[in-house]
Amino acid sequence: MMHRPPHLEDFALKETKPHLGGGKVSGDKLTSTYDLVEQMQYLYVRVVKAKELPAKDVTGSLDPYVEVKLGNYKGTTRHFEKKSNPEWNQVFAFSKDRLQASMLEIIVKDKDLAKDDFVGRVVFDLNEVPKRVPPDSPLAPQWYRLEDRKGDKVRGEVMLAVWMGTQADEAFPEAWHSDAATVSGTDALANIRSKVYLSPKLWYLRVNVIEAQDLQPSDKGRYPEVYVKAKLGNQVLRTRVSQSRSINPLWNEDLMFVAAEPFEEPLILSVEDRVAPNKDEVLGHCGIPLQYVDRRLDHKPVNTRWHNLERYIIVEGEQKKKDTKFASRIHLRICLEGGYHVLDESTHYSSDLRPTAKQLWKSSIGILELGILSAQGLLPMKTKDGRGTTDAYCVAKYGQKWVRTRTIIDSFMPRWNEQYTWEVFDPCTVITIGVFDNCHLHGGDKNGPARDSKIGKVRIRLSTLETDRVYTHSYPLLVLHPNGVKKMGEIHLAVRFTCSSLLNMMHMYSHPLLPKMHYIHPLTVSQLDSLRHQATLIVSMRLSRAEPPLRKEVVEYMLDVGSHMWSMRRSKANFFRIMGVLSGLIAVGKWFDQICHWKNPITTVLIHILFIILVIYPELILPTIFLYLFMIGVWYYRWRPRHPPHMDTRLSHADSAHPDELDEEFDTFPTSRPTDIVRMRYDRLRSIAGRIQTVVGDLATQGERLQSLLSWRDPRATALFVIFCLVAAIVLYVTPFQVVALLTGFYVLRHPRFRHKLPSVPLNFFRRLPARTDCML
């Protein structure tokens, strides 16, 4: 048995067997609510309100708040000023694993600048607390009379509900947690709670600039050089300068933008005249609100419209509209494209492929369920009070839905045990799970805005999963640093893909990957790159405005922004991937060469017999090929992958990358490295590009030699080839095809004693054909 090296074993995927769903298992499929996570028991305390609280000063009022005390843990509600009947409606959750006492105290206090005064309390014995499991209805709160420290009843009542539950309780997401007892402040508490986010609905905006009429340039004695500039938010595009240099220019050019609902900014179009190399004159502009723009679902053109162009003048430093008798006009065809899918992720691991318009969506084919269980072995990400600490949370993204778990404070082995579900519309999609360190719990960094640090991420392709099977694995969290690949810990996940209709899912494999508009009116590669960049900016900006925000650095890491930049390591990895694909063909070629040279005479004789049978009965050729492929597939079924794929350091060449290559990969754009390092890297790139240039030139040479067979560039070679073609046509006409095939096969498979080491005549002839290399400078 082969053993992996220790460092590769450390980066491997590990199958686990957690106690999911409280152990309620039916076959391979679990049957309880929150069945993909381990149950975590919590003591919940809901403090609703109080009434008839006694006054503590001569004014007859008090500033009440409630302190929930369990052992060393204390949670407090907000306080109200001068109110004897306050309403808090706050929930506190204490982890059962960390219970340090048998009695629960709910103490009502009066907020005092000098010293908080005791008003009264209610005490519960934890052995008497009832249990509740959803889908049971919430426990109804009750009024409890306050007691003093001696246990005697005093004036005032408080409405409470106390119960034992799990993380499946609907009060769990918004509750104050004993795990986060060190976190204070409303903003900090909001930053640690679990949340669900939705990406904004993105549209492609197509602006077809057709023409303009009656432009009024300031210089009447010259031909205007007119172009149109369009602006939508931070996106600015320009048409080319019109070739018809007149006051009625023509363009008929498309400009593509990304717009997000709700539409907050109008499309601004300005017609400008290039009067000098660095001077442009605005001949007029117009604003178009996007909510009034036509939306199309197919390739049928929408109606065109004329828009009046307005001009402004500067009067005493202020911009004012200029009154004109005749307004210039611009002719436009504008539409929001609902038939495209707006790409905000790489197409290689996209989580959603549906068109923008909901009318074009197909029905879902299944449900994806993800249980984020725990992490272990996390490394310290920051320093607090002189020691390393990590406040970890997870973000998962699939389709338009983003989920964020709660933050576990100061733990290298956090346990989340949170479960989420998504509708699946295409099995050939990928879910991404990232782990981050929360750096916004204590007001951020004194040196500037804090950024949540990335700990690692995992991608799981749904098409690699068996339906209705629960996958429980521990995934290594790998991050590439300038000094090499580093394991930041492991994340424990449970995944299940449930298919609602096997027939519909199988039918999806016959559909195109992207909506049909991508093929009827395809966008160029440069357009797609630019639009994807704009889409990621819009998504990160919108999600960072949520409360609590899903921060820009988190969104960009999840969407792999910057993955298209040059990387020597990634280029090597892709080269060896190509070689891995071609290795099968190379192996077949080597095997056939051994057959031709009679390395194994018995195998060669069997190949001769098979060849004779296929030539005599040619109708068996295709059935034989497909039967052979079928048998290979059935044979490999025994060794089919039983685990989802994961990040492979060897495939990525992350474990063997040179430090300078990694430093180049993490360099900014444009570069910030010293001149001598940039010169060295440029020379290295020139050397690699020179070898690629040679290979491309050799391929071009072979193609040009094929073209020269009938081009008469070499008259003798073309004459020989033409005569050979005539003779071959006559011979093949009078000779049965089977005879020709047999003779050709026997010649190729002839015994080595009938071979010689010199190249064959056809190869000699081909290599002598002229190419255009001698015409190159």
Side-chain angles (χ1 to χ4, degrees), residues 46 76 131 140 158 184 249 293 305 327 386 461 571 587 633 710 746 763:
R46 182 185 294 276
T76 57
K131 292 185 178 180
V158 62
S184 60
V293 170
R305 289 189 179 137
R461 183 170 290 275
S571 300
L710 297 172
F746 287 149
L763 187 57

Side-chain angles (χ1 to χ4, degrees), residues 572-681:
K572 285 183 180 178
N574 289 334
F575 172 77
F576 283 104
R577 285 174 60 202
I578 293 175
M579 295 306 297
V581 171
L582 298 178
S583 61
L585 296 176
I586 295 172
V588 171
K590 290 181 178 179
W591 172 81
F592 186 72
D593 184 69
Q594 292 177 352
I595 295 296
C596 294
H597 287 83
W598 292 67
K599 298 291 185 182
N600 189 335
I602 296 177
T603 305
T604 304
V605 171
L606 292 177
I607 292 296
H608 276 78
I609 296 172
L610 177 63
F611 175 69
I612 294 172
I613 294 173
L614 293 178
V615 170
I616 296 175
Y617 303 101
E619 64 274 10
L620 296 178
I621 294 176
L622 290 178
T624 302
I625 293 173
F626 286 107
L627 181 62
Y628 179 67
L629 295 175
F630 168 78
M631 295 301 296
I632 291 176
V634 172
W635 179 258
Y636 282 165
Y637 180 78
R638 298 169 56 192
W639 296 283
R640 67 191 184 278
R642 300 295 296 171
H643 308 298
H646 68 290
M647 303 288 186
D648 192 333
T649 55
R650 174 167 288 181
L651 177 69
S652 307
H653 278 246
D655 55 347
S656 60
H658 191 274
D660 182 68
E661 295 175 0
L662 294 175
D663 183 70
E664 181 183 22
E665 185 170 342
F666 283 91
D667 191 8
T668 57
F669 187 86
T671 182
S672 58
R673 297 296 183 263
T675 308
D676 54 342
I677 294 179
V678 175
R679 183 183 295 112
M680 181 270 292
R681 290 174 180 171

Side-chain angles (χ1 to χ4, degrees), residues 202-205 232 235 256-260 342 531 534-535 538:
L202 301 178
W203 295 79
Y204 283 147
L205 175 68
L232 180 64
Q235 308 170 66
M256 296 291 292
F257 297 90
V258 179
V342 180
L531 291 172
Q534 296 299 333
I538 292 174

